[in-house]
Amino acid sequence: MAKLTDKALCAALEGTGNELGNISMYCVRRRGHLLLALPAYRDTALITLKLYQPQVFLGKAVAGAVRLLVRAGLHRLLPRKLMVVRSNGPLAVLASDRAKVGFLLGNPEADTRRALMVHKEGGGYVVDKVGVDQKSRASVMAELEVIKTLPDKLTGIPVLHGEHEGDTWVSYATDFVEGTSPCKGDDEQVLGVLVDWMNGAETVPLSETEQWQKMTDYASRHENREIWEVLQKSATLRIKAVVTHGDFAPWNIKLSADGAVAVLDWETGCNEGPAGWDWLHYMIQKGSLVDNRSASETLKLCREWAKSGKGKSFLDEAGWGNQIEPWIGTYLGYSSWIAGFDRDELLSSWMVNQRLDS
């Protein structure tokens, strides 16, 4: 299935049916693709801009420049796009005040390109995640079902504000969350979220988790015998089964000035997964994608953290204890084989270390 172009995604957000009017949006592009559609209304434009959480300097500089334009009321000098409001579309159905609506458009290279639509509701703002084609609709609905299964009152869990379905689109709404992505100095606060998710959780053999069973099935159908023979040694380890996000990365987390934490984007989440994998994912994503570390450097960073006081305490609580290599290896296997992340270099580097230690 072809990836959603900017034009197709915007048309889908407009919807189908009778024309009810139109609104002017002001466009911010990234690498030639539409990233943000900002309304003329300044407060909502600033809220919309906050949906974008860049991790590298260039993105942060662009966001800062646009923020200055919005605060000065000059963002209307940006390229203008007229969006038509149709009777069966997100703009007509979700937003009571269409002048106070903004969009963050998903990654144009993703197979499941969704959009985040922020709009005024009552005295505050809510954010709808909207899927408009077969894959993105399925993804949005799957994420909604995950959120519904999560325990109430856990740190960072989103609060739902309803769901909608049109002829060609689906959405669900959560509170707009103030805050910014965590930086290095926030590691302790972010780790505290995962500690909270472990409270009261039971330990189970790793082999009894759904994640292990999926890895077993994958290994039976693919040529990865050497890696799997090493990983199988971890089958009997007893690990806490906890709420697991699956893509626990800085850009999916918001920290507010008052200390609140929000964890976003639950499409890869589940109610029971191996404790500790989310933190490893966080360190690896940050190390490789933000800090541009090599595979060996990233793994060295993870091992050093695991041997620190905080690392030992966390891994003891999770059930891994001093089993650092099984913690890393099983995560990498699942992340690569099942979750679909690019872990080839990391797995190769990890296997080199296992051969040296054997």
Side-chain angles (χ1 to χ4, degrees):
M1 184 179 294
K3 294 179 174 62
L4 271 176
T5 64
D6 292 345
K7 183 177 180 180
L9 180 53
C10 287
L13 292 172
E14 291 176 334
T16 59
N18 297 329
E19 185 174 329
L20 303 179
N22 54 66
I23 55 174
S24 293
M25 309 295 287
Y26 300 91
C27 302
V28 178
R29 294 186 175 274
R30 179 177 179 269
R31 297 177 183 171
H33 294 283
L34 184 59
L35 174 68
L36 293 158
L38 306 176
Y41 187 71
R42 181 163 51 188
D43 287 353
T44 306
L46 285 170
I47 294 291
T48 305
L49 184 59
K50 289 178 180 180
L51 295 176
Y52 177 47
Q53 295 289 316
Q55 303 297 309
V56 297
F57 175 77
L58 181 58
K60 292 178 179 180
V62 170
V66 174
R67 188 175 299 110
L68 290 175
L69 287 176
V70 174
R71 285 175 174 165
L74 298 176
H75 65 291
R76 282 174 280 188
L77 298 175
L78 294 168
R80 175 173 171 267
K81 178 175 179 58
L82 196 66
M83 293 192 72
V84 178
V85 182
R86 299 188 182 277
S87 55
N88 179 28
L91 281 169
V93 176
L94 301 178
S96 57
D97 186 344
R98 295 170 200 144
K100 298 178 181 179
V101 174
F103 292 99
L104 171 68
L105 277 65
N107 181 358
E109 298 303 317
D111 290 333
T112 53
R113 192 181 188 193
R114 295 145 299 194
L116 294 180
M117 173 180 170
V118 63
H119 53 99
K120 194 83 171 180
E121 185 174 287
Y125 284 92
V126 298
V127 179
D128 277 270
K129 181 170 280 190
V130 187
V132 296
D133 67 351
Q134 183 178 350
K135 284 189 174 182
S136 62
R137 290 199 305 269
S139 174
V140 168
M141 293 307 295
E143 183 176 1
L144 174 62
E145 292 308 310
V146 169
I147 294 173
K148 287 180 177 179
T149 69
L150 300 177
D152 294 334
K153 299 180 181 179
L154 275 186
T155 302
I157 302 298
V159 177
L160 290 171
H161 280 284
E163 55 193 276
H164 291 83
E165 184 171 358
D167 291 343
T168 58
W169 59 276
V170 296
S171 74
Y172 73 85
T174 57
D175 285 327
F176 169 77
V177 179
E178 285 279 2
T180 58
S181 294
C183 57
K184 186 175 182 179
D186 299 313
D187 282 359
E188 187 170 353
Q189 185 179 3
V190 174
L191 190 64
V193 174
L194 301 181
V195 172
D196 180 60
W197 293 358
M198 287 195 290
N199 287 337
E202 296 184 356
T203 60
V204 299
L206 189 58
S207 60
E208 292 184 9
T209 65
E210 179 182 353
Q211 291 77 12
W212 184 269
Q213 291 162 13
K214 287 181 177 179
M215 290 169 66
T216 301
D217 180 62
Y218 179 94
S220 70
R221 295 180 287 107
H222 295 80
E223 293 293 331
N224 43 44
R225 186 169 60 184
E226 183 184 10
I227 297 175
W228 184 235
E229 284 178 352
V230 177
L231 295 183
Q232 280 184 303
K233 298 174 184 177
S234 306
T236 58
L237 289 175
R238 295 186 65 86
I239 309 301
K240 280 191 173 179
V242 300
V243 168
T244 305
H245 184 271
D247 192 11
F248 194 79
W251 43 92
N252 288 331
I253 301 167
K254 277 191 173 183
L255 306 180
S256 66
D258 62 3
V261 182
V263 185
L264 315 173
D265 294 337
W266 283 86
E267 55 262 35
T268 55
C270 70
N271 202 29
E272 291 186 343
W277 278 7
D278 270 343
W279 182 246
L280 194 52
H281 184 87
Y282 183 92
M283 290 192 291
I284 286 174
Q285 292 295 84
K286 185 174 182 296
S288 58
L289 299 182
V290 178
D291 300 333
N292 293 314
R293 296 177 185 267
S294 68
S296 60
E297 290 172 337
T298 299
L299 292 181
K300 180 181 178 183
L301 179 73
C302 295
R303 291 182 176 111
E304 289 175 348
W305 179 86
K307 294 173 183 176
S308 70
K310 290 178 182 177
K312 288 179 180 178
S313 176
F314 178 80
L315 291 178
D316 282 345
E317 177 70 16
W320 295 101
N322 63 358
Q323 299 297 309
I324 297 172
E325 295 307 315
W327 169 56
I328 296 173
T330 55
Y331 159 77
L332 290 176
Y334 183 83
S335 182
S336 176
W337 300 345
I338 310 303
F341 291 94
D342 182 3
R343 299 292 186 244
D344 289 349
E345 289 186 17
L346 287 159
L347 267 172
S348 295
S349 180
W350 182 78
M351 279 301 297
V352 167
N353 186 269
Q354 306 316 297
R355 295 187 193 104
L356 292 173
D357 288 346
S358 62

